[in-house]
Amino acid sequence: MLAKRIVPCLDVDKGRVVKGKKFQNIRDVADPVELAKRYNEAGADELVFYDITASNEERDIFLDVVENVAKEIAIPFTVGGGIRTVEDIHKVLRSGADKVSINSAAVDNPQLITDSALKFGSQCIVLSIDAKEVAPKRWNVFTRGGRNDTGIDAIEWAKKGEQLGAGEIVINAMDSDGEKDGYNLPLTKIIADTVNIPVVASGGAGTREHFSAVLKEGADAALAASVFHYDEINIMELKKYLQEEDIIVRRENEWK
Amino acid sequence: MIAIIDYGAGNIKSLQFALDKLNKESVLTTDPQVIRDSDSIILPGVGAFKDAMDAINDLGLAGVLKQEAAAGKPILGICLGMQLFYERSYEDGDWEGLGLLKGNVRKIKDTVKVPHMGWNTITKNKENPLMNDLPDDVYVYFVHSYAVGSLEEDSLVGSTQYGGVVPAIVQQGNITGMQFHPEKSGDIGIKLLKNYGEMIS
């Protein structure tokens, strides 16, 4: 049986991992390669790295990080942030990333999804959606790190992203991001019921019950950052708990 | 020396890093002479079947791969690389593959989410040294939308369940295929590559 995935996310700035609360007050945490190794050993199923600054000079530092991570760990990882062209995608894949996450650039230029999916395969094109509830049960897509309301309906955008060729959707609920009050269950459920590609829930993880709830609501994977960085939740213990909750998870560590 | 066929885009680096961990020397190449001189060949792959076959044909490598296969050189296909071994693929059309193995490649039924993405278990279909020291139902990482069908039953070493039976490991003589990514499947994947290396040496 296909396992539900636990995905730690690392925001990287100038080669270092940081974690912001609601995208502000960013503070330094650790070396990305060290953190990646630690998460791998703890049983993370995948990793996500977001390059949060992505000026041209810093881009090269980030590509080095990607390559060093690929060298150290043998689990899949996604890279996002500052991806604007097919060539950007090519570079991170060649550096050792398995998937690329596109956010603002896909809204500006939806053709980028199709072009890159045709070139590299849908399986490595992840559409990342920052969504915020602007009216009851109405979520809009935000871009530019959450500063710009595009007016686009998030559910429609997810559907369109799938048609354009995205192989996975990350739905980041901005209202709950950094609050540790739980994932946005209604939004995640609607998206998961609407598309026939994997859906990764993001934003709001605070307790292990939050993971259980969103995975039971239909998410294929649950992404979180600070609860893992600050060791508030141990991935190995989380997976043991999820298994007790009858959620199928990979527990490879027991093999050795 | 292992020749990794570098016919286009995708993450090949992770495969090289995995081989490095096993102290296996490898080279990314499209040079027919390097391929002929190698001890074994790995055909990696992500992306579309047609694009991959076009690239292999444009590089003049289809003939080389068929000759090396016929001569008995061990060839490992990973993900799309495994699918390319078969006679035909129905991925957005009807395309001819390398035809090293009997069978074809079809879309996974949409009763499940496609792509099949994530960690799934391998059930042993028969005893094989590739699975040495590995228990049943180990998790490996899959990312694919198409799967092999109509294959020769005897070639099926391991399979997984996703909208039906999905061949995960196949082997016929010197030809071996892995539908999942061993280079991305943690310690289990490294162990599978190690077993493969011991098997062909």
Side-chain angles (χ1 to χ4, degrees):
Chain A
M1 284 283 283
L2 186 65
K4 299 278 187 180
R5 290 170 275 151
I6 299 299
V7 186
C9 172
L10 302 87
D11 289 344
V12 179
D13 183 16
K14 300 185 192 69
R16 302 284 296 173
V17 176
V18 292
K19 172 61 190 171
K21 194 180 180 188
K22 282 203 172 170
F23 300 165
Q24 284 158 16
N25 304 325
I26 288 165
R27 98 180 219 206
D28 200 330
V29 178
D31 172 28
V33 178
E34 280 309 309
L35 259 181
K37 265 160 72 176
R38 205 175 88 193
Y39 288 144
N40 178 35
E41 281 156 20
D45 297 304
E46 254 181 66
L47 300 171
V48 175
F49 293 88
Y50 278 117
D51 187 8
I52 60 169
T53 49
S55 69
N56 284 337
E57 310 80 71
E58 286 154 7
R59 194 91 209 138
D60 293 336
I61 303 175
F62 187 67
L63 289 176
D64 284 344
V65 169
V66 171
E67 184 163 339
N68 286 329
V69 170
K71 203 177 285 180
E72 290 294 334
I73 61 161
I75 59 169
F77 67 96
T78 303
V79 162
I83 305 283
R84 309 213 61 85
T85 64
V86 168
E87 186 48 34
D88 290 339
I89 296 172
H90 190 217
K91 273 189 196 157
V92 292
L93 293 177
R94 288 299 282 198
S95 296
D98 300 279
K99 298 190 255 182
V100 174
S101 163
I102 317 174
N103 191 323
S104 301
V107 177
D108 297 344
N109 172 24
Q111 185 66 27
L112 177 63
I113 302 177
T114 308
D115 291 348
S116 52
L118 284 175
K119 189 163 169 63
F120 307 108
S122 282
Q123 81 290 332
C124 62
I125 307 302
V126 181
L127 177 61
S128 176
I129 303 175
D130 287 337
K132 192 171 179 177
E133 194 163 18
V134 290
K137 302 282 172 239
R138 160 80 195 203
W139 291 273
N140 277 5
V141 177
F142 280 66
T143 56
R144 313 275 165 267
R147 295 186 296 273
N148 174 46
D149 182 355
T150 64
I152 299 168
D153 181 83
I155 296 149
E156 288 304 313
W157 179 227
K159 212 186 291 178
K160 189 166 178 212
E162 178 184 20
Q163 286 161 4
L164 289 169
E168 184 167 71
I169 285 178
V170 174
I171 184 75
N172 181 44
M174 292 174 60
D175 304 285
S176 48
D177 192 43
E179 296 295 334
K180 301 191 179 174
D181 284 337
Y183 292 96
N184 188 321
L185 300 182
L187 175 62
T188 309
K189 183 170 169 45
I190 294 170
I191 303 269
D193 288 346
T194 303
V195 298
N196 199 44
I197 52 179
V199 171
V200 183
S202 164
T207 67
R208 53 189 199 171
E209 287 80 9
H210 294 155
F211 287 88
S212 168
V214 82
L215 294 172
K216 283 179 181 170
E217 280 302 307
D220 299 281
L223 182 149
S226 60
V227 288
F228 297 139
H229 294 344
Y230 300 119
D231 243 343
E232 291 160 24
I233 294 180
N234 173 284
I235 294 173
M236 216 179 288
E237 286 164 15
L238 170 64
K239 287 180 131 183
K240 184 165 180 283
Y241 165 77
L242 292 173
Q243 196 170 40
E244 285 161 10
E245 288 282 296
D246 291 328
I247 293 169
I248 293 167
V249 288
R250 174 185 73 114
R251 296 188 63 198
E252 184 190 285
N253 312 58
E254 287 166 11
W255 167 62
K256 282 197 253 180
Chain B
M1 179 70 80
I2 302 167
I4 302 175
I5 313 297
D6 183 15
Y7 60 85
N11 174 11
I12 304 182
K13 212 158 234 172
S14 294
L15 177 60
Q16 277 193 297
F17 289 145
L19 295 172
D20 289 347
K21 278 181 194 150
L22 295 168
N23 294 318
K24 298 279 181 198
E25 257 190 280
S26 64
V27 59
L28 291 179
T29 187
T30 55
D31 182 342
Q33 198 53 49
V34 173
I35 296 168
R36 287 196 184 95
D37 291 343
S38 68
D39 301 312
S40 70
I41 298 168
I42 297 182
L43 189 57
V46 289
F49 189 96
K50 177 184 182 292
D51 290 352
M53 270 317 293
D54 283 352
I56 287 169
N57 283 320
D58 290 348
L59 291 162
L61 295 181
V64 179
L65 290 169
K66 286 177 193 173
Q67 285 158 15
E68 293 300 299
K73 185 174 285 183
I75 305 184
L76 171 64
I78 294 175
C79 197
L80 178 63
M82 158 175 154
Q83 297 180 0
L84 295 172
F85 289 158
Y86 288 87
E87 295 161 307
R88 314 206 70 77
S89 170
Y90 300 106
E91 179 177 341
D92 299 324
D94 179 359
W95 316 107
E96 201 175 314
L98 291 168
L100 304 179
L101 297 176
K102 276 192 182 144
N104 55 44
V105 182
R106 316 160 187 174
K107 186 139 197 177
I108 294 170
K109 289 195 189 79
D110 65 4
T111 52
V112 287
K113 289 191 178 189
V114 179
H116 174 212
M117 186 186 288
W119 299 81
N120 209 336
T121 47
I122 303 182
T123 305
K124 290 177 191 172
N125 293 82
K126 64 177 198 182
E127 286 304 318
N128 186 290
L130 277 174
M131 303 291 275
N132 277 356
D133 305 324
L134 286 173
D136 223 349
D137 294 328
V138 287
Y139 277 101
V140 291
Y141 191 79
F142 289 87
V143 188
H144 62 124
S145 300
Y146 291 77
V148 171
S150 309
L151 75 171
E152 296 209 19
E153 211 171 294
D154 190 47
S155 67
L156 191 61
V157 175
S159 58
T160 193
Q161 283 289 333
Y162 195 72
V165 175
V166 173
I169 302 178
V170 295
Q171 189 164 66
Q172 197 157 349
N174 53 319
I175 310 294
T176 306
M178 298 185 187
Q179 178 61 68
F180 54 91
H181 287 271
E183 77 279 17
K184 284 288 165 182
S185 295
D187 294 333
I188 301 281
I190 301 291
K191 175 67 180 165
L192 279 160
L193 286 173
K194 185 166 184 273
N195 284 350
Y196 176 74
E198 284 167 3
M199 189 172 166
I200 63 169
S201 60

